[in-house]
Amino acid sequence: MFKNLKQRWKVTSLQLALIICTFAIGGSATGFAAKKILNWLAIDHDWLWTIIYILLIIIIWPLAVLVVSIFFGQFRFFSGYVHRLGVKMGLVKGKSQTTDHELYRNSLITHYPPLINIAVFASGAGSNAQKIIDHFRESSSVNVALIVCNKSGAGVLQIAENENISAILIEKEKFFRGNGYLDELKERKIDFIVLAGFLWKIPDPLLKAFPRRIINIHPALLPKYGGKGMYGQSVHEAVISAKEKESGITIHYVDGHYDHGDIILQVSCPVMENDTPEELAHRIHALEHANYPVIIEELVSKLVK
Ligand code: GRF
């Protein structure tokens, strides 16, 4: 139950505890104040007592929790909570109509408190996915919430299972002709998407819903050795046969083209004279593992303002 609440409200364990305390103390204070007022009014009809008691609870409870929330540092959460409750009861006007995308984007910016949910899109062995999961394992503000994979039997699915992280195996038709699994991502309150060995282009609905919130890692120094078909060993084979003296990694934002989009970081490493593609791949993987989780942390920390 607590895990569901954490997900639903996007809160850390500590914040959930503070919220529960606020509910408990605010609720008790409300009952206490309502009974004091009723005693003072000295009403002797049972039915009238009950009606006034309910009315007093409705009026006092929001004020009580808001006041108590200040002491627990949860005013922002409760002002939103009380407002939403008022809208549901028809007592307060909701926001003007916004599109689905705007609503989702706004919720990413204004949600409180800041538990950022990451989805990792991967379809290979998943060594980068594993490093990202390890990096955020103890984090109270960032959560690897979902693995998205397009290849049944991929190693990354086993990692998801071992780590008890939910995974979706996506279908090409739905990914490209539907809305790119946006509903599934919204359902899981995903804030940020990390590609780590995902070979399909990202469709428009996702690019629009996650502006500068989708990044990729490529095992070469882009713009060289990128584009369709340039993945895995074929990248390293091309680098070696071109007798490059150095190769490296590129972390970049994702746009509608393969291995294209603003570059966030490049790190290079030497290519040795007798390197095999496997040896170079090994060196490049080490660079990826050392840099990708750190860059992800830097970027998602900027989402929490
Ligand atoms: C990495 O080399 C990455 O650069 C590329 O795909 C590979 C994925 O490797 N985009 P792994 O599945 O994380 O081991």
Side-chain angles (χ1 to χ4, degrees):
M1 180 183 114
F2 290 129
K3 204 174 168 204
N4 287 347
L5 283 178
K6 271 169 66 182
Q7 288 279 339
R8 184 151 140 222
W9 289 337
K10 297 186 144 204
V11 295
T12 62
S13 303
L14 174 65
Q15 284 157 340
L16 183 65
L18 294 171
I19 288 167
I20 291 172
C21 289
T22 306
F23 272 122
I25 298 173
S28 312
T30 305
F32 180 78
K35 279 183 188 148
K36 279 269 169 216
I37 294 173
L38 281 162
N39 284 347
W40 180 69
L41 291 174
I43 292 163
D44 43 14
H45 296 292
D46 274 1
W47 61 270
L48 188 59
W49 193 97
T50 309
I51 290 174
I52 297 181
Y53 182 71
I54 292 170
L55 284 176
L56 284 172
I57 298 280
I58 292 172
I59 296 164
I60 299 171
W61 183 83
L63 299 173
V65 287
L66 283 176
V67 171
V68 176
S69 70
I70 296 171
F71 296 101
F72 285 97
Q74 300 304 314
F75 182 76
R76 223 168 130 189
F77 173 85
F78 275 92
S79 57
Y81 187 86
V82 168
H83 179 80
R84 285 195 301 278
L85 212 60
V87 173
K88 269 190 197 155
M89 292 169 77
L91 301 172
V92 186
K93 249 182 97 190
K95 278 192 195 148
S96 60
Q97 282 247 307
T98 37
T99 64
D100 228 24
H101 280 152
E102 279 165 344
L103 262 180
Y104 185 46
R105 220 179 295 162
N106 291 345
S107 78
L108 298 181
I109 296 161
T110 58
H111 76 237
Y112 181 85
L115 182 65
I116 299 289
N117 284 321
I118 295 181
V120 178
F121 284 39
S123 295
S127 70
N128 279 283
Q130 182 70 67
K131 291 288 168 190
I132 295 164
I133 294 165
D134 293 345
H135 186 83
F136 292 111
R137 194 182 301 284
E138 301 301 328
S139 170
S140 58
S141 55
V142 181
N143 176 34
V144 179
L146 180 67
I147 301 290
V148 174
C149 178
N150 65 7
K151 210 166 140 202
S152 64
V156 71
L157 289 173
Q158 188 57 51
I159 292 176
E161 198 181 321
N162 297 345
E163 297 285 350
N164 207 11
I165 295 174
S166 52
I168 5 183
L169 187 61
I170 58 171
E171 288 159 17
K172 204 165 195 167
E173 179 70 14
K174 182 170 172 192
F175 193 57
F176 290 109
R177 296 205 196 284
N179 69 353
Y181 285 78
L182 182 57
D183 296 337
E184 285 80 353
L185 298 176
K186 279 186 186 179
E187 218 171 84
R188 289 162 174 90
K189 297 188 165 36
I190 298 300
D191 301 292
F192 198 82
I193 296 175
V194 170
L195 311 189
F198 186 75
L199 302 182
W200 289 349
K201 264 194 208 164
I202 299 300
D204 257 6
L206 290 193
L207 294 174
K208 280 199 187 117
F210 293 90
R212 281 177 104 76
R213 283 163 189 262
I214 309 178
I215 62 169
N216 179 41
I217 190 160
H218 185 77
L221 298 171
L222 291 174
K224 282 168 121 181
Y225 309 105
K228 196 169 166 47
M230 272 293 168
Y231 61 88
Q233 293 302 84
S234 47
V235 176
H236 308 306
E237 279 162 12
V239 167
I240 289 170
S241 59
K243 302 203 181 316
E244 294 283 359
K245 292 270 173 288
E246 63 171 14
S247 187
I249 61 166
T250 305
I251 299 172
H252 64 96
Y253 289 107
V254 169
D255 62 16
H257 307 278
Y258 282 112
D259 302 324
H260 192 262
D262 291 349
I263 289 176
I264 300 162
L265 177 82
Q266 290 193 304
V267 184
S268 55
C269 64
V271 179
M272 309 300 186
E273 221 169 304
N274 297 320
D275 259 350
T276 62
E278 290 72 24
E279 282 163 342
L280 182 55
H282 189 69
R283 202 169 304 126
I284 298 272
H285 255 122
L287 275 189
E288 293 183 334
H289 298 163
N291 287 281
Y292 208 19
V294 179
I295 291 296
I296 295 165
E297 184 169 6
E298 256 176 47
L299 294 174
V300 297
S301 72
K302 289 184 194 150
L303 302 180
V304 184
K305 279 280 173 273

